[in-house]
Amino acid sequence: MDAKERFREIAPNYDKEIVKIIPYYKQMIEALINIFTFNNYEYINILDLGCGTGSLTQKIKEKFPNSRITCMDSSKEMINLAKKKLWDYDNIKFIIADFSDFNFNNDCYDVVLSSLAIHNLIGDEDKKNLYRRIYKALKKNGFFYIADFVSASSRHNQRLYDDVINNFVKKNSMKEKTLKYRIHREDNVHPKLVDQIKWFEKVGFREVDIVFKYYTHAVFGGRK
Ligand SMILES: C[S@@+](CC[C@H](N)C(=O)[O-])C[C@H]1O[C@@H](n2cnc3c(N)ncnc32)[C@H](O)[C@@H]1O
């Protein structure tokens, strides 16, 4: 099953299940949003890559009601759920597209963000290529922060990370159905966090930082 099919299948129960497989999911999203130092009523331009059911965009709208947000996702099913969830908010544009080859406008966004989506680009070069294109798409001083899966710097630590997460998933739900939602590392080895930080710096991002980390997942990014 490829990623697109998997997301089509999991879309209807996504919001209920994600908190059972990602410890501190809500805190992770909070950490991602807290980083943006805008006045709450500013008219900022935001791009949410792999918006899924729109939870992140909803939280941004609650904090920055005047923001204009572009929600991008390659899954029609996810975009439809996001449209439903975000029905009451204005200035949200929905685009069904693949961010791996989307032609972003240059110098356009105050913020580009993404949660649990970019790891779906399997190769390191694809991720680096996306980071370069996002850098161009940002306005000067714009923020690029992501919440995503990362690997440890040693095998020993990776075993520890995997044990912690597997125990969390087992404790929360032994149901086969929930286990299917897991992002299996066997078919997608996530880059080490320390390497991704170097990639960000090489692309040109400054003030690169890690603002949240819990074993397998982290929130990190920088500014143009
Ligand atoms: C695990 S969900 C995360 C959804 C949401 N950001 C959240 O944190 O709840 C990943 C989302 O990324 C989307 N996605 C994965 N690869 C993508 C790509 N190359 N282009 C656009 N969307 C993609 C999937 O369709 C899915 O909706």
Side-chain angles (χ1 to χ4, degrees):
M1 190 190 292
D2 70 10
K4 233 175 173 170
E5 283 173 66
R6 194 169 71 226
F7 286 118
R8 185 181 313 133
E9 198 183 306
I10 69 178
N13 293 314
Y14 178 84
D15 286 353
K16 243 183 15 227
E17 300 296 334
I18 193 70
V19 289
K20 294 183 190 167
I21 58 170
I22 310 283
Y24 301 110
Y25 173 79
K26 286 185 180 151
Q27 288 84 349
M28 178 180 77
I29 297 298
E30 233 172 70
L32 179 55
I33 292 171
N34 282 344
I35 208 73
F36 309 122
T37 55
F38 298 99
N39 170 310
N40 287 18
Y41 292 95
E42 266 184 72
Y43 289 83
I44 44 178
N45 215 5
I46 299 181
L47 173 63
D48 180 358
L49 294 174
C51 65
T53 61
S55 303
L56 182 56
T57 286
Q58 185 176 29
K59 293 263 178 268
I60 298 168
K61 270 292 186 187
E62 284 165 6
K63 187 165 181 187
F64 301 109
N66 294 329
S67 56
R68 289 179 301 264
I69 307 184
T70 302
C71 287
M72 180 180 291
D73 203 290
S74 52
S75 158
K76 195 173 70 184
E77 289 74 15
M78 288 291 197
I79 288 281
N80 284 341
L81 289 166
K83 279 183 181 167
K84 259 193 212 159
K85 186 180 283 176
L86 300 167
W87 182 253
D88 288 339
Y89 300 90
D90 47 19
N91 289 320
I92 302 179
K93 190 162 90 185
F94 297 93
I95 303 181
I96 300 173
D98 187 329
F99 51 66
S100 67
D101 57 9
F102 189 81
N103 210 355
F104 302 112
N105 288 334
N106 286 346
D107 305 306
C108 182
Y109 299 102
D110 299 288
V111 172
V112 177
L113 42 66
S114 179
S115 72
L116 304 180
I118 292 177
H119 68 271
N120 288 293
L121 296 181
I122 303 291
D124 289 358
E125 287 313 312
D126 292 335
K127 291 192 183 76
K128 289 181 201 172
N129 179 286
L130 177 66
Y131 298 163
R132 283 192 286 269
R133 289 186 295 121
I134 288 170
Y135 186 85
K136 286 190 192 152
L138 282 170
K139 293 179 189 167
K140 189 165 184 274
N141 295 321
F143 291 87
F144 174 45
Y145 267 81
I146 66 178
D148 217 338
F149 297 105
V150 294
S151 287
S153 293
S154 67
R155 261 198 227 164
H156 168 269
N157 282 8
Q158 191 61 54
R159 271 198 296 273
L160 169 69
Y161 290 14
D162 290 343
D163 285 349
V164 170
I165 301 304
N166 286 337
N167 287 336
F168 178 84
V169 173
K170 274 191 203 145
K171 210 170 74 191
N172 268 295
S173 170
M174 288 298 286
K175 278 186 293 182
E176 229 359 78
K177 215 169 140 225
T178 300
L179 291 175
K180 253 175 51 192
Y181 290 76
R182 286 220 52 197
I183 313 294
H184 290 290
R185 280 199 329 116
E186 300 86 70
D187 59 343
N188 187 358
V189 178
H190 309 303
K192 294 174 190 169
L193 177 56
V194 289
D195 287 341
Q196 299 225 50
I197 293 301
K198 286 180 201 148
W199 299 348
F200 271 63
E201 286 172 339
K202 192 152 182 224
V203 164
F205 287 104
R206 59 187 177 81
E207 299 177 12
V208 175
D209 207 354
I210 302 155
V211 296
F212 169 99
K213 185 171 189 293
Y214 188 77
Y215 298 98
T216 51
H217 44 289
V219 176
F220 53 101
R223 299 185 77 172
K224 181 166 176 176

